């Protein structure tokens, strides 16, 4: 019978092929938590006195972030609140928003829910049925979500925005940008953002070194409420294809995601030095006042064209 590599207990709930480690439930939770806290410490993601905004979708990744970052809140090291974006996706989002609210309430932390409809007048579903649309679902979603999160974080005086990017997401992003030759995007991937404008809040990725499978196992082991539904639009993207490819490779090469990430982090300073785009002089969007490198920010540009004004 398999026994826990750390404490000898049974049953074992995970066999980490990459390290050979076998862990019981308690040792797994401890190990995953410690890994996330180590990432936070080593990269100075969160420091005493920070006010952290967790971008909480209700999915497993953001719920794990909230659960672990909450331990710092409970110890009075930081302040904490959650932001949930309601994109307006029929049959999918409502459930996520409810789960997010439940998690925030259980921990007793402030929760802000902000919808595409409130800020841009249209749900994502409506945007995709709009005759004037020129981009895929993920493009609109990404631009509008970033705009809202940035706005709300500033209104609430957050000093950090924590997102639920896991190891699979990061590996996907690195490979995707390599494959597309998008070196400028590559220079922006990292554990902590370095905003070009002080109207942008620093973004951090506490669970960046945790594989997606372990995130799922963590929320199950901790008996946390999450929704496992997949966004109905996610299959539209090239990112999804790359993700499936990386997962397939990982079956026979269990360390491939770690090595992609570690390798990338090593060469990133060099890529950044060589290829980082010229510092654009950021002004403010004439419509909404958010930082923008043109007259209108991308969100306002999109909103305008969806209203047939262009
Ligand atoms: Zn154990
Ligand atoms: Zn704008």
């Amino acid at each position: 019978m398999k026994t826990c590599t750390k404490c000898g207990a049974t049953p074992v709930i995970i066999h980490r092929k990459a390290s050979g480690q076998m862990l019981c439930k308690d040792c797994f939770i401890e190990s995953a938590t410690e890994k996330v806290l180590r990432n936070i410490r080593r990269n100075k993601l969160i420091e005493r006195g920070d006010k952290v905004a967790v971008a909480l979708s209700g999915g497993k990744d953001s719920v794990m972030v909230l659960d672990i970052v909450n331990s710092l809140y409970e110890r009075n090291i930081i302040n904490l609140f959650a932001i949930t974006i309601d994109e307006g996706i029929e049959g999918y989002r409502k459930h996520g928003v409810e789960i997010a609210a439940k998690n925030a309430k259980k921990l007793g932390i402030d929760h802000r829910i902000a919808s595409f409809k409130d800020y841009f007048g249209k749900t994502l579903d409506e945007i995709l049925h709009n005759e004037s649309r020129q981009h895929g679902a993920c493009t609109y979603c990404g631009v509008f979500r970033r705009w809202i999160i940035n706005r709300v974080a500033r209104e609430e005086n957050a000093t950090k925005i924590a997102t639920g990017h896991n190891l699979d997401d990061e590996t996907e992003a690195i490979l995707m940008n390599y494959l597309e030759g998008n070196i400028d995007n590559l220079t922006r991937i990292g554990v902590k953002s370095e905003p070009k404008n002080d109207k942008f809040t620093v973004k951090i990725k506490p669970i960046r070194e945790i594989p997606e499978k372990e995130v799922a196992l963590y929320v199950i082991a901790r008996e946390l409420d999450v929704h496992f539904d997949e966004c109905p639009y996610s299959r539209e993207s090239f990112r999804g294809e790359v993700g499936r490819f990386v997962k397939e490779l990982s079956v026979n090469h269990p360390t491939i995601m770690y090595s992609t990430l570690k390798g990338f982090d090593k060469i990133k300073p060099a890529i950044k030095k060589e290829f980082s785009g010229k510092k654009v002089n950021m002004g403010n969007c004439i419509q909404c006042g958010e930082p923008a490198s043109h007259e209108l920010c991308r969100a306002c540009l999109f909103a305008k064209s969806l209203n047939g004004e262009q």
Side-chain angles (χ1 to χ4, degrees), residues 149-169:
I149 288 183
N150 196 55
R151 168 67 63 102
V152 173
R154 209 174 57 243
E155 282 170 4
E156 302 282 349
N157 296 316
T159 52
K160 303 281 166 59
I161 298 170
T163 61
H165 294 85
N166 60 44
L167 179 61
D168 297 46
D169 297 330

Side-chain angles (χ1 to χ4, degrees), residues 12-84:
V12 158
I13 66 160
I14 182 174
H15 180 187
R16 283 180 173 150
K17 290 208 187 77
S19 64
Q21 223 175 15
M22 288 191 254
L23 299 174
C24 71
K25 182 174 142 181
D26 289 344
C27 290
F28 167 70
I29 292 172
E30 195 188 301
S31 149
T33 306
E34 188 40 48
K35 212 169 153 186
V36 175
L37 291 174
R38 203 163 50 226
N39 179 31
I40 290 174
R41 273 195 308 271
R42 192 176 351 120
N43 295 297
K44 296 193 166 62
L45 301 188
I46 298 174
E47 292 168 290
R48 187 173 287 278
D50 264 331
K51 181 170 184 184
V52 181
V54 173
L56 183 67
S57 69
K60 62 184 185 324
D61 306 293
S62 58
V63 169
M64 179 178 186
V65 170
L66 186 72
D67 187 51
I68 295 181
V69 172
N70 180 58
S71 67
L72 302 174
Y73 173 58
E74 279 181 336
R75 283 155 54 201
N76 274 322
I77 295 173
I78 58 161
N79 205 341
L80 177 65
F81 72 101
I83 312 174
T84 301

